[in-house]
Amino acid sequence: MQNILTITTKKHILNGKANGIEWRHKFNLDELDKDNQIYTFSFPKNLTPSISFLHGLFDASLVRLDDDFIEKYHFYGTNIKKSINNYCEITFTAIDKFANEGKTYKY
């Protein structure tokens, strides 16, 4: 069984950390982070999430899951992979957790 989490909106841009946190609660990500399932986020093809939105949606998951984040959560959508790569690069560099190890994260 495939676990798909679908972002549905009429907007072309999702922005704001608070908005990302709202979606985090809608998907119950705190609980999903704890299970052994793999999830795919589906974003509409015309939607671009901002870095601040992704911070609200995923920061707690990155802290909890560390490297396992990229194994647990997959992404489907036209612009989403680039946005997720940018988010991970900015986040990992900002927290200086992996910057000195030279790791790169690509989906």
Side-chain angles (χ1 to χ4, degrees):
M1 181 176 152
Q2 199 171 21
N3 299 304
I4 298 176
L5 305 171
T6 303
I7 301 277
T8 54
T9 182
K10 293 180 182 178
K11 298 178 182 181
H12 294 288
I13 297 175
L14 281 176
N15 58 7
K17 187 172 183 175
N19 195 16
I21 291 170
E22 284 182 37
W23 279 94
R24 179 173 186 78
H25 293 301
K26 286 180 189 179
F27 290 132
N28 199 20
L29 289 184
D30 289 327
E31 291 303 314
L32 299 184
D33 286 348
K34 298 174 188 174
D35 69 27
N36 292 325
Q37 301 292 314
I38 294 172
Y39 296 91
T40 299
F41 280 89
S42 176
F43 285 77
K45 66 180 179 178
N46 63 341
L47 177 70
T48 302
S50 72
I51 295 296
S52 61
F53 174 82
L54 294 173
H55 276 296
L57 185 60
F58 294 124
D59 277 358
S61 295
L62 278 173
V63 169
R64 181 177 290 120
L65 297 171
D66 199 12
D67 289 340
D68 293 333
F69 177 81
I70 61 174
E71 299 299 324
K72 181 166 192 67
Y73 294 116
H74 299 191
F75 300 92
Y76 176 78
T78 305
N79 297 321
I80 189 60
K81 289 185 180 187
K82 182 177 180 181
S83 295
I84 291 294
N85 285 335
N86 290 340
Y87 161 71
C88 286
E89 182 177 333
I90 288 168
T91 302
F92 287 136
T93 301
I95 62 174
D96 200 28
K97 189 170 188 177
F98 300 113
N100 295 327
E101 296 177 24
K103 290 185 180 181
T104 57
Y105 294 86
K106 298 292 179 189
Y107 292 91

